[in-house]
Amino acid sequence: MGFKAIRKLPTPDEIKALVPVTAMMTAAKNSRDTIIRSILEKKDDRFIVVIGPCSAHDENAVCEYVERLAKIQEQIKERVLIIPRIYTNKPRTTGQGYKGMAHQPDPSKEPNMSEGILAIRKMHLRAFSVSGLTSADEMLYPNNHPYLDDMLSYVAVGARSVENQAHRLTASGLDIPVGMKNPTSGDLKVALNSVLAAQLPHVFSYNGYEVETSGNPYAHLILRGAIDHLSQVIPNYHYEDLISVSQDYEDRKLSNSAIFVDTNHDNSGKHYKEQYRISMEILQSRKYSPVLHKMVRGLMIESFLEEGNQKAGESTYGKSITDPCIGWDETIRLLNDIAERSV
């Protein structure tokens, strides 16, 4: 019973001093952040794709993957902006299983969050260095955001966290877009309440300080499907779903109204190969409807070097140890087709 103190964690300033960003990186991040904000403001008609493994467990494989992404980005940069998905925390429905690199920098060893925090910063920095692409991470623990805030261009709040007050209020203080996923129940009222909360200013307690935020006008909704009380999968990426959410945005008069769609999870029923078909359907809906062309600004896709997944402890390089992903060949095809059909 109770808590047992294992070790005191290093502060964000201490970790940043050990693994600093360069002035060139800061300039590159500022440039990308400006573009991403412009896309959400509808001033830039490019389409955003947040893409990468379900969870980033292997620095070498992740950095090779992101370096490959950078080459595709150069080819499709006039139509698509790629944000690498480098998720270092993995929410678990029951609390069991691999919780991400921030917990276990080596999945085969015991958790060590002190080493994990250092490891995730090193991985994000290396991925940024080899690709020039700033990345996305999931904000599972709001207090951990300052360890990576000078390298991230996008943050997601997951389905199990979106109703949490700390996540909503922290999102209101970030200067980058924050995607709020609908909860696992699929309740869009809850999700839109979270978007509104993140867009409003707040005063609250954060990392030992009383802080005041100005509100985040780039907070937006991510549709990720749902599961009903009978454990049936309920997707929410179809045309009528997107139109309905667009109307909800209009009714609430939210800032920079934007929709992202997660093509995996409960939208695919975790049938990862469905992500191509789902992506193409969304782009067709967007092409058909001027409203959706304006509102649907991006997709989230789970992809890695090798398709499928494996158990933690297995050794296939570039293969997910959590949810299954599409492989590299399919990733190339999908990104090129998104670029062709996103206009």
Side-chain angles (χ1 to χ4, degrees):
M1 298 290 290
F3 291 91
K4 174 186 176 182
I6 300 172
R7 63 183 66 86
K8 186 173 178 58
L9 295 176
T11 67
D13 285 344
E14 290 169 341
I15 291 293
K16 287 176 176 177
L18 290 173
V19 189
V21 297
T22 66
M24 188 177 295
M25 288 179 170
T26 299
K29 172 176 154 53
N30 290 340
S31 176
R32 275 177 56 87
D33 289 353
T34 298
I35 294 170
I36 294 166
R37 285 193 288 264
S38 293
I39 293 171
L40 293 181
E41 292 169 350
K42 287 80 168 184
K43 296 176 182 176
D44 186 322
D45 205 34
R46 276 176 284 188
F47 196 66
I48 293 174
V49 179
V50 181
I51 187 167
C54 174
S55 59
H57 73 280
D58 180 336
E59 178 183 318
N60 290 332
V62 167
C63 290
E64 179 179 336
Y65 173 86
V66 174
E67 191 170 13
R68 292 188 192 184
L69 277 185
K71 295 175 182 177
I72 301 177
Q73 174 66 99
E74 184 61 28
Q75 296 166 9
I76 62 176
K77 63 183 179 182
E78 300 302 322
R79 294 183 176 182
V80 171
L81 186 133
I82 295 173
I83 305 177
R85 172 190 167 111
I86 304 179
Y87 281 21
T88 55
N89 297 281
K90 175 66 178 173
R92 312 302 307 206
T93 302
T94 65
Q96 298 172 301
Y98 177 67
K99 296 183 178 66
M101 187 181 283
H103 275 261
Q104 287 176 271
D106 184 336
S108 67
K109 296 181 180 179
E110 291 297 310
N112 185 319
M113 294 197 71
S114 183
E115 292 182 1
I117 289 167
L118 181 60
I120 65 173
R121 183 164 175 87
K122 286 181 176 178
M123 178 171 61
H124 272 281
L125 183 76
R126 180 179 165 193
F128 189 3
S129 299
V130 300
S131 70
L133 303 179
T134 47
S135 55
D137 204 340
E138 180 169 351
M139 189 170 66
L140 184 58
Y141 304 106
N143 289 349
N144 283 357
H145 179 73
Y147 291 106
L148 297 173
D149 60 1
D150 53 350
M151 289 187 281
L152 298 180
S153 283
Y154 188 92
V155 165
V157 173
R160 295 163 189 81
S161 304
V162 74
E163 293 188 73
N164 182 270
Q165 186 82 334
H167 287 81
R168 293 175 170 191
L169 300 190
T170 302
S172 76
L174 305 191
D175 60 359
I176 56 175
V178 178
M180 316 293 281
K181 287 196 173 185
N182 64 256
T184 54
S185 67
D187 189 331
L188 293 182
K189 182 178 179 181
V190 167
L192 288 167
N193 284 343
S194 298
V195 173
L196 177 58
Q199 290 191 356
L200 294 174
H202 299 282
V203 175
F204 61 102
S205 171
Y206 184 67
N207 280 358
Y209 291 88
E210 181 181 0
V211 299
E212 180 178 5
T213 63
S214 58
N216 185 345
Y218 303 101
H220 59 274
L221 178 64
I222 302 172
L223 297 175
R224 48 87 72 201
I227 298 178
D228 70 12
H229 66 289
L230 298 175
S231 298
Q232 299 296 310
V233 171
I234 310 294
N236 56 16
Y237 64 86
H238 296 303
Y239 178 84
E240 58 272 21
D241 299 308
L242 300 176
I243 288 291
S244 177
V245 172
S246 298
Q247 187 59 54
D248 289 339
Y249 260 112
E250 182 66 25
D251 292 344
R252 287 176 178 248
K253 296 180 170 53
L254 293 163
S255 300
N256 299 312
S257 49
I259 301 167
F260 280 49
V261 183
D262 180 340
T263 63
N264 210 12
H265 295 98
D266 292 330
N267 270 329
S268 71
K270 293 194 176 180
H271 295 111
Y272 67 97
K273 292 184 178 181
E274 291 292 299
Q275 292 184 97
Y276 182 93
R277 180 192 61 77
I278 292 168
S279 298
M280 294 302 105
E281 179 179 329
I282 293 163
L283 291 172
Q284 181 60 36
S285 295
R286 192 172 178 265
K287 185 175 183 179
Y288 177 78
S289 166
V291 171
L292 297 186
H293 189 275
K294 178 181 177 182
M295 291 287 295
V296 179
R297 308 308 291 177
L299 298 176
M300 305 191 82
I301 298 166
E302 291 195 317
S303 153
F304 209 9
L305 298 176
E306 299 291 336
E307 77 163 34
N309 64 344
Q310 62 186 333
K311 294 180 180 179
E314 295 182 353
S315 58
T316 300
Y317 179 76
K319 193 171 189 176
S320 173
I321 63 169
T322 47
D323 289 348
C325 304
I326 61 171
W328 184 250
D329 290 343
E330 182 75 349
T331 298
I332 296 172
R333 181 169 78 102
L334 179 51
L335 286 170
N336 282 325
D337 285 352
I338 288 172
E340 181 181 337
R341 303 183 192 196
S342 62
V343 292

